[in-house]
Structure formats: structure tokens, C-alpha cells
Amino acid sequence: MKQKLLILLSLAMLCLVQAQRMRPPKVSDELDFVEDDEEDEEWKKWGEWNHDREEEPMEGMTLGDGPIDVEKLMAKQRSGPQLAFARLKPADRTQADTDQLGVRWASLLRTGGLSDNVYAVDEDTILLQLTDGKNMDEVMEFTFLQEETDYFEWNQQKFFRPGEEREIEKPAPPKKKKSKKGKKKKKSAKGEL
């Protein structure tokens, strides 16, 4: 019994010594003796406003002095979230077929890091949602590589495959239904004479 008590007591002492070793070291709150000389003059001036420097206007973006640089203006319009439509070639497909096509396109576009969401709107239309419109050229190129794509529509403009130009037929406006109620026959002026 004495032997077990002695072993138990020695293990307890060993655990206490080990616990003392694992305790993190104490750091004093008084750091007056520490010298911080890592900041040089350039570091100190980094965030200051330089009043001597004149702001230069963006090249080609002045309205009153000359023409506007269309490329830069278009680049500004492409920033931020964008929506585009891929119109599919007419074919005998169902909404489920277009949904499967949208899922396939979404996985391919995500693999390339280009698109967030792809939705099948109807049997012949796929909606592409991008978080960054700067990638619109790559998405357009991707859709033209797909054999199902007829044309690409973005910002109310239709884009066709390179070398292909054509006019899109506008759908006929819906016919107005004639209402029989509320119409009165007008008497002609000739009949009254």
C-alpha cells in the first residue's frame, strides 16, 4: 500500500512540474525600454496627402475639351454585376432539356471562374448572371463555342458569332382582342339628311 501511495504521489508531483513548464511566459506591461525604430521617413509619410501634386484628368475622358474615349467608357459600364441572355438555336427541346443545358454551362463557367448563376428562362433562352461584368467578353466567347447558341444578348444589343451578321426577326405584336360589349353603332351623317 505504501508503495502505491508513493507512486501516486510521485506521479502527482511530476504532473505539477510538467504543468509549470507548459504555462506561457509572462510578459511585462512595462515596455518603456523597448525601442521601435522600424518606421523610417517613407513609412511615416505613406498616408499623408501631397498638396503639391496636381490631379491629372483621365486621358480621353474630358467632355468639354474633346472626344470621349469609348473603350474606357465601356469598361466603366462593364463593372459590377451584369445579366446577359444566350438565345438558343430553334430545336425540339423541352424546358427540362434547357435546364440540363444550363446546369452544364454553369459548371463549365464556374470551372473557369466566370459565372455565378445560369438559369433556363424558357426552351430557347438561358440567363447568365455575372458578379463582375469585366468578364463579359470571355462569357460571350464561351457561349459562341457552344453549338446550341444562336446569338448572345447583353445591354439590349444582340451579338453574333464572328463573321456572322444578320437581322433578327422581331416577333409580331400580339393581336388585340375585339370587345363586343360597350360598342355602340354610330349613325352615319348621310342617313340623317
Side-chain angles (χ1 to χ4, degrees):
M1 181 78 168
K2 285 185 180 184
Q3 195 175 21
K4 287 183 181 179
L5 188 61
L6 187 61
I7 291 174
L8 195 58
L9 195 56
S10 62
L11 282 174
M13 289 295 288
L14 188 61
C15 287
L16 283 172
V17 169
Q18 189 67 19
Q20 288 291 334
R21 287 185 187 169
M22 293 183 71
R23 188 189 277 168
K26 288 187 176 183
V27 178
S28 172
D29 289 334
E30 294 183 30
L31 299 174
D32 295 335
F33 62 91
V34 177
E35 233 180 271
D36 185 15
D37 59 350
E38 293 178 2
E39 296 177 357
D40 57 358
E41 291 301 316
E42 185 178 327
W43 174 266
K44 290 178 183 176
K45 290 183 178 182
W46 177 76
E48 293 179 6
W49 176 256
N50 187 353
H51 296 286
D52 298 335
R53 192 181 100 202
E54 291 183 23
E55 288 291 322
E56 296 177 13
M58 288 179 63
E59 193 175 311
M61 293 300 286
T62 55
L63 289 174
D65 298 336
I68 298 173
D69 188 359
V70 177
E71 293 292 327
K72 289 184 181 180
L73 191 60
M74 289 296 290
K76 279 179 114 178
Q77 289 179 351
R78 288 185 181 194
S79 64
Q82 298 287 325
L83 296 175
F85 293 98
R87 303 292 180 164
L88 306 177
K89 291 178 182 175
D92 187 28
R93 72 173 67 86
T94 63
Q95 181 69 35
D97 295 336
T98 310
D99 287 337
Q100 284 181 335
L101 184 65
V103 168
R104 191 182 79 198
W105 283 17
S107 64
L108 289 171
L109 285 167
R110 283 190 192 112
T111 301
L114 294 177
S115 178
D116 283 339
N117 296 311
V118 177
Y119 305 100
V121 177
D122 57 27
E123 290 85 7
D124 297 326
T125 307
I126 291 183
L127 172 67
L128 301 141
Q129 177 187 12
L130 289 94
T131 54
D132 190 5
K134 293 177 185 174
N135 299 326
M136 190 60 71
D137 291 333
E138 288 86 1
V139 172
M140 190 183 315
E141 183 179 345
F142 167 80
T143 57
F144 287 143
L145 290 174
Q146 308 308 309
E147 63 185 36
E148 299 91 357
T149 305
D150 189 20
Y151 63 93
F152 187 81
E153 191 171 344
W154 175 61
N155 278 352
Q156 297 179 350
Q157 287 184 313
K158 293 174 176 68
F159 299 92
F160 302 96
R161 286 187 166 85
E164 181 180 328
E165 290 185 23
R166 59 190 164 123
E167 193 66 33
I168 297 294
E169 294 178 19
K170 294 183 179 178
K175 295 180 181 179
K176 295 181 180 178
K177 293 181 181 179
K178 295 181 181 179
S179 175
K180 293 183 179 181
K181 292 182 180 179
K183 287 192 174 182
K184 294 182 180 178
K185 292 183 180 180
K186 292 182 182 180
K187 293 183 179 178
S188 65
K190 293 180 183 177
E192 294 178 2
L193 290 173

